Amino acid sequence: MSFVGTASERMAQELERAILVGIESKQANGSESLQSSLDELERLTDTAGAQVVARTWQRLDSPNPKTFVGSGKAEEIAQLCRSYSADLVIVDDELSPSQQSNLERIVGKDVKVIDRTALILDIFALHATTKEGRLQVRLAQNQYLLPRLRGMWAHLASNKMGGGVGSRFGEGESQLEVDRRLVRKRITSIKRELEQVSKMRSIQRSARYEAGVYKVAEAGYTNAGKSSLINRISGSDVLSYDKLFATLDSTTRKVSLPEGREITLTDTVGFIQKLPHTLIEAFNSTLDEIRGADLVLHVVDVSSPEMEAQMHAVDDTLESIGAQAIPRIVVFNKCDLLSEDEQGVLQGRYPEAIMVSAVTGWGIDRLIEGITRAATAAERNMEILLPYGRGDLVSAAHERCTVVASEYLEDGIKMTLRVPGQYQQLFESFQK
């Protein structure tokens, strides 16, 4: 579990043995919420290539500012590490640099201590495939690393390397400042490079906007089946695995609806509970695909026992990126794993949701009908008469609108159009 080494090198190594640590606080929703979070952390650990050998937790009003858990629990974790020959302690929240350093000192130098954010970053580093995805992950890693440099150098300064306590501290501080400058420089460089890549994505996105194409974006919890769904609807072959964060890079496919309208359908990075803010910032350009959509498909895994908590996590993330006001269709995926009675109960609780199975194709026709209705509702029917001298508007009508009918008259071209909202003003003065 480190940011160094290729996936093949990791697989060649023996699986690291991990102990999971959480706290149940008054702010949380009780032990069920804690166990749900630890279950998810275990799946994340498995996805990253480590084996969970034990889990432990503690009830606290708030995390201990020194060691996250209480001092007694910290000693207990150290004993668990010895008993299970653990290589790794993973804490189910974000640790401060001092909490991480203090825990490492207690559990012993041979055991790594990381938090949930570092674990997710590790998984992202494994799964990023495009240049933009790799840059986004590198940016988040360096932003995470910067405030933790002091703790890293304090640990180095404590090693018995000669030169006396005072000289070692001074040397560490000097190196600390050098490393801080290097990391800040790296962050600036990555942001600059990411800006260039993002410009290209922005140009492509603007071209879709200018063309008046109706834009649909999938959003949902990681492993909800978004990639499988886009494959089923578009007939494409986007990578899909039964793993958390199998795909990180947004993928856009063109889809023709039965009525002849063309739309774009975009698959985006999956969400998760306690999604680190550094990742939301780093994946800003990818999340723009959601913010710029005309319709969001909120894809939900109905087979998950934590379905409702996952739905809330997605709602919270959509709100945090400013996408809460975009029209939305809730899509219950993996319904082939439910009985007819369970499907009926679920539909009764969520009557507006559309139930599908991306694997079998069941319910996909209803989903396409729902998308078609949403696209039509966003348009306005207009009957216009364009003078023959306005070839630019005739081209715009064909390229950016749906032409229902057209007729060549003596004084111009009579057209019946379905016009997207952003182009209605263009034709206002030519209405009949």
Side-chain angles (χ1 to χ4, degrees):
M1 303 301 305
S2 68
F3 297 144
V4 181
T6 64
S8 58
E9 287 171 344
R10 294 179 188 209
M11 292 179 67
Q13 298 170 357
E14 187 177 342
L15 287 181
E16 290 179 288
R17 298 164 64 81
I19 291 173
L20 308 185
V21 178
I23 62 168
E24 181 186 333
S25 65
K26 287 182 177 178
Q27 289 77 23
N29 297 323
S31 59
E32 186 177 341
S33 174
L34 170 66
Q35 295 309 319
S36 162
S37 189
L38 287 174
D39 287 343
E40 184 173 89
L41 189 66
E42 185 162 346
R43 283 207 69 194
L44 288 167
T45 304
D46 175 65
T47 300
Q51 175 189 7
V52 175
V53 294
R55 24 200 284 187
T56 185
W57 60 90
Q58 184 177 30
R59 289 182 176 87
L60 289 174
D61 289 343
S62 60
N64 185 303
K66 290 185 177 180
T67 51
F68 183 72
V69 292
S71 57
K73 176 59 74 170
E75 293 294 345
E76 182 186 320
I77 292 167
Q79 181 57 49
L80 282 172
C81 289
R82 292 189 287 270
S83 300
Y84 287 95
S85 302
D87 314 285
L88 187 60
V89 171
I90 307 176
V91 176
D92 190 33
D93 277 288
E94 189 162 319
L95 292 173
S96 69
S98 61
Q99 286 173 330
Q100 183 174 353
S101 179
N102 290 333
L103 272 176
E104 284 175 341
R105 179 176 48 78
I106 294 170
V107 300
K109 62 180 181 179
D110 295 328
V111 181
K112 283 179 289 185
V113 176
I114 65 171
D115 58 19
R116 186 184 183 94
T117 300
L119 178 64
I120 294 172
L121 284 171
D122 195 67
I123 295 168
F124 274 39
L126 280 171
H127 291 173
T129 55
T130 66
K131 181 178 181 180
E132 184 178 26
R134 288 192 295 270
L135 285 170
Q136 287 166 331
V137 173
R138 282 173 54 202
L139 176 60
Q141 286 176 341
N142 280 277
Q143 288 172 330
Y144 175 82
L145 177 64
L146 183 60
R148 287 164 174 77
L149 287 173
R150 176 179 291 279
M152 293 169 67
W153 281 107
H155 175 71
L156 178 62
S158 69
N159 290 339
K160 298 186 181 299
M161 298 171 62
V165 174
S167 62
R168 289 197 300 272
F169 182 82
E171 183 178 329
E173 285 296 292
S174 172
Q175 185 62 58
L176 171 63
E177 291 307 317
V178 170
D179 276 17
R180 276 178 173 162
R181 283 196 297 273
L182 286 172
V183 173
R184 287 193 188 103
K185 192 174 180 181
R186 200 178 300 146
I187 288 172
T188 302
S189 174
I190 295 170
K191 281 184 174 179
R192 192 179 300 122
E193 196 172 352
L194 193 54
E195 213 172 281
Q196 294 301 316
V197 178
S198 298
K199 276 181 184 175
M200 291 303 299
R201 180 186 287 278
S202 180
I203 290 169
Q204 294 169 351
R205 192 161 48 239
S206 295
R208 294 201 300 270
Y209 293 175
E210 285 299 315
V213 176
Y214 190 76
K215 302 167 293 298
V216 182
E218 292 183 329
Y221 214 74
T222 181
N223 205 41
K226 298 186 302 300
S227 297
S228 298
L229 189 61
I230 196 174
N231 287 343
R232 174 63 67 173
I233 294 173
S234 68
S236 60
D237 55 355
V238 177
L239 175 72
S240 61
Y241 289 130
D242 185 21
K243 285 280 188 183
L244 302 185
F245 299 119
T247 51
L248 296 180
D249 306 296
S250 62
T251 306
T252 299
R253 293 288 182 267
K254 194 172 283 188
V255 177
S256 294
L257 298 179
E259 59 170 5
R261 180 202 312 269
E262 282 197 335
I263 66 168
T264 58
L265 180 58
T266 301
D267 177 26
T268 60
V269 63
F271 300 155
I272 198 167
Q273 290 183 58
K274 306 175 186 176
L275 188 66
H277 289 294
T278 50
L279 285 174
I280 293 177
E281 291 170 14
F283 279 75
N284 199 46
S285 64
T286 303
L287 295 172
D288 276 342
E289 296 289 352
I290 297 177
R291 281 187 285 258
D294 298 300
L295 176 70
V296 171
L297 300 184
H298 178 175
V299 184
V300 181
D301 176 5
V302 296
S303 69
S304 170
E306 306 302 329
M307 183 192 84
E308 290 192 352
Q310 292 176 0
M311 290 176 71
H312 288 310
V314 172
D315 288 339
D316 289 345
T317 305
L318 289 174
E319 184 173 355
S320 72
I321 65 172
Q324 70 273 22
I326 299 172
R328 196 179 311 179
I329 295 176
V330 176
V331 182
F332 285 139
N333 190 27
K334 307 186 185 182
C335 286
D336 54 304
L337 302 177
L338 301 182
S339 67
E340 286 189 16
D341 287 344
E342 288 171 325
Q343 289 176 16
V345 169
L346 193 60
Q347 192 72 80
R349 288 174 58 198
Y350 299 93
E352 301 300 319
I354 297 176
M355 307 182 74
V356 305
S357 167
V359 171
T360 67
W362 180 81
I364 296 298
D365 288 345
R366 289 193 297 276
L367 175 57
I368 291 174
E369 287 171 9
I371 294 171
T372 302
R373 283 195 301 272
T376 302
E379 293 178 333
R380 177 179 163 195
N381 288 325
M382 299 182 74
E383 191 172 286
I384 61 174
L385 181 65
L386 295 179
Y388 285 111
R390 295 304 305 267
D392 58 326
L393 291 181
V394 175
S395 296
H398 283 282
E399 291 171 4
R400 302 174 181 177
C401 310
T402 302
V403 180
V404 178
S406 63
E407 183 182 356
Y408 289 84
L409 304 177
E410 186 177 335
D411 51 349
I413 305 172
K414 179 184 175 184
M415 305 181 83
T416 303
L417 306 175
R418 288 202 299 267
V419 186
Q422 66 266 45
Y423 299 114
Q424 290 169 11
Q425 193 173 354
L426 201 61
F427 301 104
E428 287 279 1
S429 59
F430 299 95
Q431 283 196 102
K432 288 199 68 180

